[in-house]
């Protein structure tokens, strides 16, 4: 399926509205019960949110790809994209997200037990997130953008999810 959005918008009587511009391709293949793959990709997807006529969110995904699969009780996924917009607690900026090793979730767990991704800001500061198990996560932080991780933080998926 191929989609192209050009000012696709919604609005409410209270003056709130949103719009989407961009393109998206979705390929889905299911070969059996609990055995399927999906790839969602595109060049650009931009969304804007207005509250009472004032622009409150302006976000953009560029060169984005999401790949996922399910095989029985194991779900595997990865994402690669550039995000520009406002991130809570970080402010406005551009971030490049790359999956180094695909993430895996084994049902009934809700969180990945394996997988690695990096998030890099425009100033080259970065964090590498490594799933240790379905409960624990390791964050390696490069605070000055020199390519060397300055700090390691061991935390939990619950803590990570509470901050988003």
């Amino acid at each position: 399926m191929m989609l192209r959005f050009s000012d696709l918008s919604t609005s409410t009587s209270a003056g709130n509205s949103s719009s989407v511009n961009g393109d998206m391709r979705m390929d889905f293949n299911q070969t059996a019960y609990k055995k399927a793959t999906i790839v969602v990709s595109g060049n650009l997807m931009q969304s804007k949110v207005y509250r009472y006529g004032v622009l409150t969110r302006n976000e953009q995904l560029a060169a984005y790809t999401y790949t996922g699969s399910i095989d029985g009780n194991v779900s595997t996924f990865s994402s690669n994209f550039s995000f520009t917009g406002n991130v809570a607690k970080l402010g406005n900026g551009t971030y490049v997200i790359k999956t180094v090793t695909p993430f895996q979730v084994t049902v009934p767990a809700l969180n990945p037990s394996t997988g690695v991704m990096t998030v890099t800001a425009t100033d080259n500061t970065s964090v590498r997130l490594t799933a240790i198990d379905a409960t624990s996560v390791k964050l390696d932080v490069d605070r000055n953008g020199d390519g060397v991780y300055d700090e390691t933080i061991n935390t939990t998926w619950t803590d990570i999810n509470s901050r988003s």
Side-chain angles (χ1 to χ4, degrees), residues 124-128 140-151:
N124 285 328
T125 57
S126 65
V127 63
R128 178 176 60 197
D140 295 309
V141 182
D142 175 4
R143 295 189 182 279
N144 58 10
D146 66 357
V148 176
Y149 294 112
D150 306 303
E151 178 182 7

Side-chain angles (χ1 to χ4, degrees), residues 12 22 37 42-43 45 56 60 65-66 76 83 87 92 98 102 112 114 125 136 138 141 149 155 157 160:
T12 67
T37 60
N43 295 312
M45 184 66 67
T56 58
Q60 174 180 295
T65 302
Y66 169 85
T76 303
F83 172 86
V87 176
N92 284 315
K98 291 185 179 183
T114 63
T125 57
S136 304
K138 179 176 81 165
V141 182
Y149 294 112
T155 188
W157 284 111
I160 298 274

